[in-house]
Amino acid sequence: MGYHVTILRTKGGEQDPITWDEVTRALATMDGRLAQYTREPGAQELYAPAGGEESEVLFFDEGVLWTKNPGGDFTGLMIELADKIGARVRGDELETYRTVDEEYIHPDDVELVRQMQEASAKREVKRSRWNMAVTTFRVLAVLILLAGLAMRLAKDSV
């Protein structure tokens, strides 16, 4: 599936969509380290020319830019771009990147993180209950087999 990393902008917990015009103005200040990818006419995608054919690609979609599994250098470029457009870089686990090596929970994501942790805890409870039911079934099955074996041995010894 991959790990999605997104450039987004929020205000008070609500998304504040990024425009493509903002992105292209910011690109002009990045000395060609990020550029528009022209795979298809009109495509709104970015890549790092220094990475050549191996460069990750940023996709622009509904006011955010996103990519999958970016390396450290590409994440650094994403952080730089985000700073230029008043946005931030956020990973799948709702961590926001200050730098490639430093993360924090943005105030706009605190409630989302709480909800994510609550949902994870509920899944863990369900998993534990399921494991307990399966273990109980297995123990009962072994006991039934042992009881049958004991009855057969008792019958054979008579």
Side-chain angles (χ1 to χ4, degrees):
M1 185 166 105
Y3 194 81
H4 287 80
V5 179
T6 306
I7 297 176
L8 76 158
R9 184 170 49 215
T10 57
K11 288 186 181 171
E14 299 294 321
Q15 185 175 336
D16 180 19
I18 298 165
T19 66
W20 186 248
D21 286 341
E22 290 176 278
V23 173
T24 56
R25 282 193 304 273
L27 289 178
T29 69
M30 294 185 69
D31 301 322
R33 286 173 288 138
L34 274 179
Q36 188 167 0
Y37 188 55
T38 54
R39 177 175 47 109
E40 298 176 16
Q44 295 178 312
E45 301 170 352
L46 304 175
Y47 78 110
E53 294 286 323
E54 302 300 314
S55 174
E56 295 101 333
V57 176
L58 266 173
F59 302 93
F60 183 74
D61 186 31
E62 298 183 14
V64 300
L65 291 142
W66 66 273
T67 192
K68 284 176 33 174
N69 306 321
D73 291 342
F74 199 73
T75 301
L77 290 171
M78 291 174 68
I79 293 167
E80 182 180 344
L81 175 61
D83 287 345
K84 291 179 181 296
I85 59 177
R88 61 192 169 99
V89 176
R90 182 175 76 182
D92 266 351
E93 295 175 0
L94 303 178
E95 74 283 12
T96 294
Y97 292 88
R98 268 194 189 96
T99 67
V100 173
D101 299 317
E102 185 182 355
E103 307 164 358
Y104 71 102
I105 300 300
H106 189 277
D108 287 348
D109 294 337
V110 169
E111 180 59 21
L112 287 173
V113 169
R114 187 195 65 73
Q115 290 171 6
M116 194 166 105
Q117 289 170 339
E118 188 177 283
S120 178
K122 285 180 182 177
R123 282 191 302 276
E124 187 58 37
V125 167
K126 285 181 181 179
R127 187 176 301 117
S128 292
R129 287 181 181 161
W130 173 254
N131 286 339
M132 187 180 290
V134 167
T135 299
T136 301
F137 175 78
R138 288 177 178 164
V139 167
L140 287 174
V142 168
L143 289 174
I144 289 168
L145 288 172
L146 289 174
L149 183 60
M151 288 174 59
R152 178 178 245 176
L153 288 173
K155 181 180 177 186
D156 288 347
S157 66
V158 172

